[in-house]
Amino acid sequence: MKEYRYLIASIICLGTVSMVGCSKNVNSIEEKSEMTMDNETNIEENSITEQGDIQETITENLTVNTKIEIPGKSFATYNTEYKNFDNEKIVELLWPESSEEEIQVKEYDGGASEITFQDETVALGAGVMKYDKNDEIKYLSSLASYAEENALLEKKNLSFMKEEEAISNIEAFLSSLELGTSLGERETFALSKEDMLSIQNAMKSDEDYKSFYESGKFQEQIFDTDDEMYYIKYSFSLDGVPVFGEGDPTVQMSGGVEQPLLADPMGATFLFSNLGICEIRLTGMVNQLNIEAENQEIIRFDGIKKALVKKFGDVILSDTYNLSNMWLEYFPKRKEDSFDKVELIPVWCCKFDINGDINVDYALRFNAITGEEIS
């Protein structure tokens, strides 16, 4: 079991241990769900229905300066499980010309597995996939990640293939996986050999990375056109609403290291070169969805305000909290006492500035139907 957990940890650690985070409607229910919270505080109802600017002071050190946009009046709740990828299907998709003798599979308790074909490796776990075409791609991936973090990426076509064709290949692969949610926003960037050299030079002079070159962990390379690649990322959506993803505010761990995270961010990242797909990073993938509760009307700002009063009303805040951004998203919450069962809940994600710092990573999430705090 420990061996399985170590593999899952290595797969999930595509990013960090703490997570980041904040299409089709079913039959509508006309009855409005009641708020399950203390209503002793008298709060005037807000008339905003679709969108509007909000500027309010809730307590001395708690303010709201944001815009609210409501994409729909009612939403459903779903249940599903994290995707358990089928080994045979993944082999067929990645290596259709391979023979059975060329494929090596190592399976672990709990359903995780590692599959190797020549220099290529794919690690699979509940909802996650990590594929590398070879060891060299790991360094190129580090260059792409660094370039993204430092806004060094550009959109353009590369000589080996137009951007649209690379996207088509990747989306055909994703479609074949039969995932439970739809593709959301896409970001596409290109890395030419000149870009890679420039990024490498920037990393070598960066105090946070230069030691990797000095220690030999990173080996400086000379790039040619065969190394050029597209860097393509996807978020996901459900019922026209984004699903909690890799770029959203953090969800903290709960219950200690032996307990799973409250939710895994959903996202897909690919590197695509003249050799085809060279790297895959999938996190938070789920199976087809089942409706747990039919469409129910969601709360507006008046309900969010009540939730904030319940959260902060009896607290003396020493710092100033300003709700500066809020949006509706689906949150893939793990069910209690389960590692793989998931409930997709519509939530309001409320992002705060603290003491005027707009970069602080602090957000609260409230069930968009009941007003109950999620995180």
Side-chain angles (χ1 to χ4, degrees):
M1 187 64 180
K2 287 185 177 179
E3 188 178 23
Y4 165 68
R5 286 189 178 180
Y6 293 152
L7 176 64
I8 289 296
S10 68
I11 298 173
I12 292 177
C13 285
L14 313 174
T16 60
V17 174
S18 68
M19 293 185 337
V20 289
C22 244
S23 311
K24 307 175 181 81
N25 282 336
V26 202
N27 298 328
S28 175
I29 293 179
E30 294 299 325
E31 298 83 21
K32 183 176 181 180
S33 61
E34 295 184 357
M35 300 281 294
T36 56
M37 56 178 60
D38 186 358
N39 290 319
E40 291 181 2
T41 305
N42 182 23
I43 298 175
E44 182 181 352
E45 294 291 311
N46 194 297
S47 61
I48 294 172
T49 55
E50 299 300 327
Q51 63 179 8
D53 295 318
I54 302 172
Q55 294 183 329
E56 292 198 27
T57 298
I58 297 179
T59 66
E60 182 180 358
N61 285 328
L62 178 61
T63 58
V64 179
N65 292 278
T66 187
K67 174 178 286 188
I68 184 171
E69 295 185 2
I70 303 174
K73 294 182 64 177
S74 59
F75 291 88
T77 300
Y78 301 89
N79 62 65
T80 184
E81 310 85 29
Y82 282 117
K83 184 80 175 179
N84 284 318
F85 297 99
D86 180 78
N87 288 348
E88 291 185 6
K89 184 170 185 178
I90 296 303
V91 169
E92 182 181 343
L93 289 171
L94 293 176
W95 310 298
E97 303 300 324
S98 65
S99 65
E100 186 174 343
E101 292 75 20
E102 294 176 298
I103 301 296
Q104 298 179 13
V105 180
K106 187 174 183 180
E107 296 184 336
Y108 299 84
D109 293 339
S113 61
E114 278 185 318
I115 310 173
T116 302
F117 170 67
Q118 297 177 358
D119 295 331
E120 305 177 45
T121 302
V122 61
L124 304 170
V128 296
M129 176 189 299
K130 178 182 178 182
Y131 164 73
D132 293 310
K133 197 166 190 68
N134 49 48
D135 286 338
E136 289 72 24
I137 198 65
K138 296 175 183 177
Y139 179 64
L140 301 184
S141 178
S142 298
L143 294 179
S145 297
Y146 180 86
E148 181 184 21
E149 292 172 5
N150 293 275
L152 302 176
L153 294 171
E154 297 180 356
K155 289 179 63 66
K156 58 190 171 187
N157 283 312
L158 297 172
S159 59
F160 72 88
M161 180 183 290
K162 288 187 176 180
E163 173 188 302
E164 292 79 7
E165 191 175 348
I167 291 169
S168 179
N169 277 273
I170 288 171
E171 293 186 359
F173 175 84
L174 286 169
S175 177
S176 67
L177 297 179
E178 300 178 338
L179 302 173
T181 52
S182 303
L183 292 179
E185 294 184 358
R186 182 187 68 240
E187 295 181 285
T188 307
F189 303 100
L191 291 131
S192 67
K193 60 182 182 180
E194 292 82 9
D195 296 328
M196 292 181 186
L197 179 59
S198 176
I199 296 165
Q200 179 174 258
N201 289 336
M203 287 181 68
K204 285 169 53 184
S205 60
D206 191 315
E207 290 296 329
D208 293 329
Y209 288 88
K210 63 189 305 182
S211 62
F212 292 142
Y213 290 94
E214 293 169 351
S215 66
K217 182 176 181 179
F218 284 172
Q219 297 289 332
E220 186 176 355
Q221 294 187 18
I222 298 173
F223 306 103
D224 57 34
T225 53
D226 286 340
D227 297 312
E228 296 184 339
M229 60 187 178
Y230 289 105
Y231 180 59
I232 302 176
K233 301 185 68 173
Y234 291 90
S235 62
F236 289 81
S237 68
L238 176 61
D239 294 345
V241 172
V243 178
F244 165 64
E246 295 175 336
D248 292 330
T250 299
V251 174
Q252 303 297 332
M253 294 183 70
S254 61
V257 295
E258 291 298 318
Q259 296 299 316
L261 294 170
L262 189 63
D264 286 338
M266 194 174 293
T269 303
F270 292 82
L271 292 180
F272 192 99
S273 74
N274 62 354
L275 299 176
I277 295 175
C278 292
E279 180 185 83
I280 302 170
R281 298 289 185 268
L282 303 182
T283 60
M285 300 295 103
V286 295
N287 286 323
Q288 297 299 310
L289 310 182
N290 300 305
I291 296 176
E292 184 170 282
E294 299 281 356
N295 280 24
Q296 298 181 68
E297 189 171 347
I298 61 172
I299 61 174
R300 307 304 201 259
F301 180 69
D302 58 294
I304 299 166
K305 187 173 179 181
K306 290 175 183 177
L308 291 173
V309 169
K310 182 178 180 181
K311 172 74 175 177
F312 294 106
D314 296 329
V315 177
I316 299 176
L317 295 173
S318 57
D319 298 306
T320 58
Y321 287 72
N322 175 56
L323 200 172
S324 58
N325 195 8
M326 59 183 296
W327 61 89
L328 190 71
E329 68 181 16
Y330 265 99
F331 189 74
K333 183 182 178 183
R334 271 191 176 88
K335 292 196 173 182
E336 291 185 16
D337 302 320
S338 174
F339 280 84
D340 59 352
K341 295 186 184 302
V342 179
E343 184 180 27
L344 281 144
I345 307 167
V347 305
W348 284 108
C349 183
C350 300
K351 174 73 170 64
F352 291 84
D353 306 337
I354 300 180
N355 296 329
D357 184 356
I358 63 174
N359 296 314
V360 67
D361 184 16
Y362 181 77
L364 297 173
R365 289 176 173 81
F366 300 101
N367 188 310
I369 296 170
T370 67
E372 176 186 2
E373 183 182 354
I374 300 293
S375 62

